[in-house]
Amino acid sequence: MTTPSSLLGQPISRVDGPLKVTGQAKYAGEFNVPGLTYGHVLSSTIARGHIKKIDTSAALALPGVLHVFTHENRPGTAWFDRNYKDEDAPAGSPFRPLDGADIVYSGQPIALVVAETFELARHAASLIRVEYKTKEHETDLAEQRHKAHSPAPGKGGYEPPPKPRGNPDKAFKSAPIQVDAEYSTPVEHHNPMETHVSTVVYEDDGTLSIYDKIQGVQNSYDYVSRVFKLDKEQVRVRSPFVGGAFGSGLRPQYQLFLAVMAARELKRSVRVTLTRQQMFTFGHRPETHQHVALGAAPDGTLLSVIHETLSETSRFEDYCEVVVNWSGLLYQCDNVRLDYKVAPVDQYTPIDMRAPGAVLGVYALECAMDELAYKAGVDPLELRFKNYAERDQNQDKPFSSKELKACYYQGAERFGWGKRSPAPRSMREGKQLIGWGVATGIWEAMQQQAAAKAVLSIDGTLTVSSATADIGTGTYTVMTQIAAETLGLPLDKVTFKLGDSSLPKSPIEGGSWTVSSVGTAVKEVCEKVREQVFAFARKVHHSPLAKAELDEVTFSGGHIRLKSDASRAVSLTEAMRHAGVLHVEEQAMGLPNPKQMQYTRASHSAVFAEVKVDEELGVVKVTRVVSAIAGGRVLNPKTARSQIIGGIVWGIGMALEEETLLDQKLGRFMNHDLAEYHVPVNADVHDIDVIFVDEEDTIVNPLGAKGLGEIGIVGVAAAIANAIFHATGKRVRDLPITIDKLL
């Protein structure tokens, strides 16, 4: 029997694992119904202009082609922008598919062909002839710098940079040691295994059952209801499994709109699947140009920090990220100036990608800190200790908890940092130059409002539900663990349901807040069930619990037991039978504790990387990474470790490979497939070691868990870049660090 004390904090295997490895887990594009039709999207080939003529006659002439939707015959939908704004929408006017002849970015959907088969729909789309009138496009961010502006408020979670403190410009000019450098990061695109797809089942009564690739089914549900002016009971959205996302599924993408539009117009079930190439026709991690200036005393003590960033947004929305704020938070410094601006270009609106903002801003800051260490003649790790921040100076708040020093100590010991030879190019193995680098990582520990429902049945089984998502992070498993421990049930007696818009309210799955938010709601609803069943148990004939209080009992093995004598117990089923109930049902809302606002809440990490660089060829191998994480209470080390490993692998890609290349003459992303868009493969990934530092935090949420989805990638690219400098003596400030930049 699994006791409750052994559940949280234990490396429990994924409860949804058997479904996935046996192929029983069904994704949005795998729900088949009789009479299902297939939609294929035709994408624009220009970046700016308008459609002069679109000829669909050849496509419509093919037997089996049911309809071709264009801006000329698009059914009417809601008028005001507010109806198109989803839960993660920035300020501005959200994109409306097929809403006129204007072209605002390359790859924009301009037609939807619906046919009896996918192959036929795709072939028919190739027969559509389009004539454009082009306008001069502007896609070069550097050339649009003069149009940059501070972002408009609107995007959830965005915090404008704090006002300057002290006199950073004067302090920098007078500083004995100065680092003044420009860093850049390129556009990156999400490439999850599952492309974006929506299956819209048109039911006999005209209602819509939608299966969508999304990180928040209620976001899609609200969007569809408002845009198509549908009553709430006319729509239900489900997404039980998601084949990877990390940001691309935060907002409803255009295939959902097109599939719903087609299903309603044709009164048929429709599936619209984006091709791998079309995965490059919506949100992406934005390009950034960053200026970092650090002034320091001779011993490396920071006297001034200046961090300015230029990023991109679309012409129709004002997308923004928290890029520079970390530079006023991570290290102690009394003179700080931070600035973040965006410039509009003729591209689709960027979207959050794993650790949005932090992974970009911390990269530049941590590389600049490494440069400062060499200029000051101080060990890069010692420099971070020297400038350690015990308090958040941005908001003048204490940290709810911060075990970053322990991350530095434990990571350095595991990595062997003390054996590092300080001088660049001083460590080698034959023709391989060896470099060691370190960087700090940070990410917010956030909690959103979330709800959960729990039903304990007379047979001793428990079903808990919330509309959240599991994008592969282990949500099914951890929520099952929380529920099982709270009510003292074996794992196999607990079922957690998610990914259904009819379930209790949940925020989109992102920001590393799912365990904190939904987990709190699960814990609270199960505690309400505990209270009710305990009340029943006290009234059982000759109950050993009759005079006990709730804090004097434990729940384990399906029983309520006295802490003073575990043999004196009443089973949950016995208590329910005596009360004459077949089930106990409760709902609860998990709310953030107002006390949180008095603290800065964050996860921290120390990342150590080893690279080997071929002296003649410039080929870089990341041979070792040690990442020490302070993320509060770790509820499942097995799924948590997978999260950090995944983040590190992504960080390797960010440092060395990932870059979406834009042809400025065409205004078009050119390497829009998995052949030319490079991501790490098995041969690129070597030894990865993850350390979870003990950290207790009673402020972040009742579980003490800070979230681990984002922190794993933050700092990785910087650690690798710093290791490459240590190996080669060459500082590359523009990601990715490719062979041509090293030779």
Side-chain angles (χ1 to χ4, degrees):
M1 178 180 69
T2 305
T3 59
S5 60
S6 69
L7 291 179
L8 291 184
Q10 293 301 312
I12 305 296
S13 295
R14 295 172 185 264
V15 297
D16 52 324
L19 291 176
K20 289 184 173 179
V21 299
T22 58
Q24 296 178 73
K26 295 181 73 173
Y27 296 80
E30 298 181 315
F31 289 89
N32 297 312
V33 294
L36 181 65
T37 64
Y38 300 83
H40 182 74
V41 178
L42 179 67
S43 307
S44 71
T45 58
I46 68 169
R48 190 178 182 190
H50 70 265
I51 299 169
K52 290 173 58 179
K53 181 181 179 182
I54 184 164
D55 183 358
T56 62
S57 58
L60 289 167
L62 293 177
V65 172
L66 303 176
H67 199 75
V68 179
F69 293 91
T70 70
H71 68 282
E72 297 177 339
N73 62 1
R74 173 191 186 271
T77 53
W79 179 256
F80 295 108
D81 277 343
R82 64 173 179 265
N83 295 305
Y84 294 81
K85 281 187 176 293
D86 65 272
E87 192 176 333
D88 196 46
S93 301
F95 177 70
R96 306 185 188 190
L98 308 186
D99 190 44
D102 288 343
I103 302 297
V104 295
Y105 74 97
S106 181
Q108 175 179 322
I110 58 173
L112 176 73
V113 179
V114 183
E116 298 290 356
T117 68
F118 171 78
E119 293 79 7
L120 178 59
R122 190 166 188 174
H123 171 60
S126 71
L127 302 180
I128 297 174
R129 296 294 172 254
V130 185
E131 292 182 23
Y132 300 99
K133 180 175 177 55
T134 61
K135 293 182 180 179
E136 186 175 349
H137 59 261
E138 298 170 337
T139 53
D140 191 323
L141 176 60
E143 291 185 359
Q144 301 309 307
R145 184 183 291 269
H146 65 286
K147 296 182 180 179
H149 61 272
S150 298
K155 181 173 178 287
Y158 173 66
E159 296 178 16
K163 293 179 180 180
R165 61 178 181 258
N167 195 330
D169 294 286
K170 182 180 179 181
F172 176 76
K173 288 178 182 178
S174 61
I177 300 176
Q178 299 176 350
V179 171
D180 195 341
E182 299 281 340
Y183 303 87
S184 72
T185 62
V187 167
E188 295 178 16
H189 273 87
H190 307 76
N191 276 285
M193 288 187 291
E194 179 194 23
T195 62
H196 278 264
V197 54
S198 299
T199 301
V200 180
V201 179
Y202 191 88
E203 305 288 2
D204 292 339
D205 59 0
T207 59
L208 304 178
S209 295
I210 302 172
Y211 300 92
D212 191 33
K213 195 269 177 61
I214 191 73
Q215 289 173 245
V217 286
Q218 289 171 333
N219 198 15
S220 291
Y221 170 79
D222 291 338
Y223 174 84
V224 168
S225 300
R226 291 193 307 266
V227 168
F228 293 95
K229 296 176 282 191
L230 299 173
D231 294 335
K232 297 292 187 180
E233 62 272 10
Q234 291 180 276
V235 183
R236 185 177 180 183
V237 182
R238 279 168 280 200
S239 183
F241 295 96
V242 179
F246 274 103
S248 69
L250 289 174
R251 303 186 66 183
Q253 302 301 348
Y254 63 75
Q255 92 285 338
L256 173 64
F257 175 97
L258 296 173
V260 173
M261 174 194 70
R264 295 189 70 233
E265 187 72 8
L266 300 177
K267 294 180 170 50
R268 294 278 302 270
S269 298
V270 179
R271 175 179 298 150
V272 178
T273 304
L274 299 186
T275 64
R276 179 59 60 182
Q277 291 75 20
Q278 288 169 339
M279 291 293 290
F280 291 76
T281 62
F282 53 88
H284 53 267
R285 196 192 293 283
E287 177 183 356
T288 67
H289 296 264
Q290 303 185 51
H291 169 234
V292 180
L294 303 179
D299 66 350
T301 301
L302 283 170
L303 303 175
S304 175
V305 173
I306 299 170
H307 191 171
E308 303 164 309
T309 294
L310 172 70
S311 189
E312 41 140 332
T313 188
S314 67
R315 294 204 184 275
F316 46 91
E317 289 179 308
D318 222 13
Y319 178 82
C320 47
E321 294 189 352
V322 181
V323 176
V324 299
N325 300 23
W326 316 98
S327 295
L329 167 70
L330 206 46
Y331 298 108
Q332 170 72 28
C333 186
D334 295 331
N335 301 287
V336 177
R337 178 166 59 80
L338 310 171
D339 189 50
Y340 173 76
K341 286 185 169 58
V342 295
V345 294
D346 295 309
Q347 295 177 25
Y348 196 89
T349 308
I351 196 172
D352 294 346
M353 184 184 280
R354 197 171 197 167
V359 76
L360 304 172
V362 172
Y363 156 71
L365 173 67
E366 288 300 288
C367 287
M369 286 291 286
D370 197 65
E371 296 197 40
L372 179 62
Y374 282 96
K375 281 198 171 186
V378 178
D379 181 275
L381 185 58
E382 177 59 31
L383 182 73
R384 287 162 172 81
F385 279 115
K386 185 179 293 291
N387 293 286
Y388 192 85
E390 298 287 359
R391 187 178 180 87
D392 172 11
Q393 289 182 282
N394 280 351
Q395 301 185 68
D396 192 24
K397 292 180 180 179
F399 292 95
S400 61
S401 62
K402 186 179 180 183
E403 292 294 339
L404 178 56
K405 284 184 178 178
C407 292
Y408 289 144
Y409 284 124
Q410 294 182 32
E413 182 180 7
R414 185 77 60 88
F415 187 81
W417 184 261
K419 300 176 183 177
R420 175 180 177 272
S421 174
R425 301 182 69 91
S426 61
M427 297 171 65
R428 64 168 58 235
E429 189 177 274
K431 293 183 178 181
Q432 301 285 322
L433 298 171
I434 298 175
W436 289 2
V438 65
T440 308
I442 184 171
W443 182 257
E444 299 165 278
M446 297 176 281
Q447 183 184 355
Q448 308 291 331
Q449 181 174 309
K453 176 182 175 181
V455 180
L456 178 65
S457 298
I458 191 68
D459 62 358
T461 60
L462 175 69
T463 301
V464 186
S465 57
S466 182
T468 186
D470 189 336
I471 62 172
T473 49
T475 305
Y476 274 114
T477 307
V478 174
M479 298 305 160
T480 302
Q481 288 177 255
I482 294 169
E485 171 159 308
T486 306
L487 276 165
L489 293 170
L491 284 172
D492 59 7
K493 293 290 187 181
V494 180
T495 300
F496 183 69
K497 294 183 177 180
L498 54 70
D500 187 331
S501 62
S502 67
L503 297 177
K505 182 69 176 176
S506 172
I508 51 178
E509 197 273 8
S512 292
W513 61 51
T514 300
V515 167
S516 176
S517 308
V518 181
T520 295
V522 168
K523 178 178 173 62
E524 290 192 10
V525 76
C526 290
E527 286 177 345
K528 291 179 73 172
V529 172
R530 277 169 58 113
E531 292 173 7
Q532 192 172 152
V533 178
F534 175 63
F536 295 157
R538 294 180 70 188
K539 296 178 182 178
V540 170
H541 190 56
H542 296 308
S543 173
L545 312 178
K547 296 182 180 180
E549 299 297 330
L550 188 59
D551 61 0
E552 296 175 327
V553 301
T554 61
F555 285 66
S556 66
H559 289 72
I560 309 173
R561 307 175 187 276
L562 283 174
K563 290 180 179 178
S564 58
D565 184 355
S567 66
R568 302 186 67 195
V570 175
S571 72
L572 303 183
T573 55
E574 181 185 1
M576 292 171 68
R577 276 197 300 269
H578 184 271
V581 298
L582 296 177
H583 65 270
V584 175
E585 180 176 325
E586 292 286 355
Q587 293 204 45
M589 181 71 72
L591 299 172
N593 185 339
K595 191 177 180 181
Q596 290 179 0
M597 301 307 294
Q598 301 172 25
Y599 298 87
T600 291
R601 307 170 309 282
S603 298
H604 295 87
S605 67
V607 186
F608 298 82
E610 176 186 82
V611 301
K612 292 183 179 179
V613 184
D614 189 294
E615 190 173 15
E616 297 176 348
L617 301 178
V619 176
V620 179
K621 288 184 179 179
V622 180
T623 47
R624 284 195 300 140
V625 176
V626 173
S627 183
I629 308 289
R633 185 184 185 192
V634 177
L635 303 185
N636 186 325
K638 192 171 190 177
T639 56
R641 182 174 182 272
S642 292
Q643 284 297 290
I644 304 304
I645 290 174
I648 292 169
V649 171
W650 202 330
I652 293 171
M654 179 181 176
L656 303 179
E657 301 179 41
E658 289 200 50
E659 178 180 19
T660 315
L661 297 167
L662 188 75
D663 186 318
Q664 302 293 356
K665 290 184 178 180
L666 299 175
R668 187 178 185 85
F669 295 119
M670 302 306 291
N671 55 333
H672 54 301
D673 54 46
L674 289 183
E676 299 298 332
Y677 184 91
H678 295 166
V679 297
V681 295
N682 285 354
D684 300 315
V685 181
H686 298 275
D687 293 339
I688 295 176
D689 197 354
V690 179
I691 302 168
F692 289 114
V693 172
D694 289 338
E695 184 174 55
E696 183 177 349
D697 196 317
T698 59
I699 303 297
V700 287
N701 53 66
L703 295 163
K706 289 184 172 181
L708 298 167
E710 326 285 341
I711 187 64
I713 187 176
V714 184
V716 176
I720 293 170
N722 295 339
I724 290 172
F725 173 78
H726 181 233
T728 65
K730 184 167 185 178
R731 184 72 67 176
V732 180
R733 301 184 180 94
D734 305 313
L735 294 184
I737 303 175
T738 48
I739 293 172
D740 57 304
K741 296 174 183 176
L742 281 175
L743 290 179

